[in-house]
Amino acid sequence: MTCVHLKDLRFFSRHGVYAPEWEMGGPFEVSLDVWYDEANGVATLADTINYEALYKIVEQHMLQREALLEVLAAKIMQAVKDAFPQTCEICIRILKLRAPIAGIDGTVGITLKRQFS
């Protein structure tokens, strides 16, 4: 199996539960790992999972506001699976770099991992 990685992609987005998050927005970081079976070999771009296309999927979803990062991650995963049916496993991490939590000095986020048969 082969894994295509997109690491530490930065976006300005408006995801969150609270109104100030929607109004002001903030920085987010996304990492995506997409595993696929290359049993028939890889000779051309059509035989692999195009990381530019993966980036476009992530970018498109980061522009659409979601209250919960879990929902956002699941939507990105489904879009990847729809675009690349040969996908066997996806792991996505989404970090909110400035969470609206008083006194926090760090990031918050989620990781979602799914295997497909």
Side-chain angles (χ1 to χ4, degrees):
M1 288 217 301
T2 299
C3 185
V4 176
H5 306 280
L6 278 69
K7 295 293 181 199
D8 305 331
L9 306 174
R10 296 283 178 114
F11 297 94
F12 180 87
S13 298
R14 300 179 187 277
H15 306 298
V17 175
Y18 305 109
E21 295 176 287
W22 311 332
E23 295 161 4
M24 296 174 48
F28 289 79
E29 188 174 277
V30 179
S31 292
L32 178 68
D33 294 327
V34 180
W35 291 87
Y36 69 99
D37 188 359
E38 77 294 341
N40 296 328
V42 175
T44 69
L45 186 57
D47 300 328
T48 187
I49 292 181
N50 183 327
Y51 54 79
E52 182 179 9
L54 288 178
Y55 176 79
K56 298 276 187 201
I57 290 169
V58 173
E59 179 183 44
Q60 174 188 1
H61 283 84
M62 290 303 292
L63 294 174
Q64 300 170 11
R65 183 171 60 85
E66 291 290 343
L68 299 175
L69 296 181
E70 292 86 347
V71 172
L72 175 63
K75 286 183 176 184
I76 292 171
M77 282 184 158
Q78 188 59 56
V80 169
K81 181 63 175 162
D82 291 346
F84 299 101
Q86 70 271 40
T87 298
C88 299
E89 182 176 307
I90 300 173
C91 184
I92 185 168
R93 181 187 73 183
I94 304 175
L95 299 176
K96 186 178 289 191
L97 302 181
R98 274 193 243 128
I101 301 171
I104 192 170
D105 182 18
T107 62
V108 300
I110 61 103
T111 300
L112 187 59
K113 183 177 181 179
R114 292 210 176 121
Q115 293 181 332
F116 304 95
S117 52

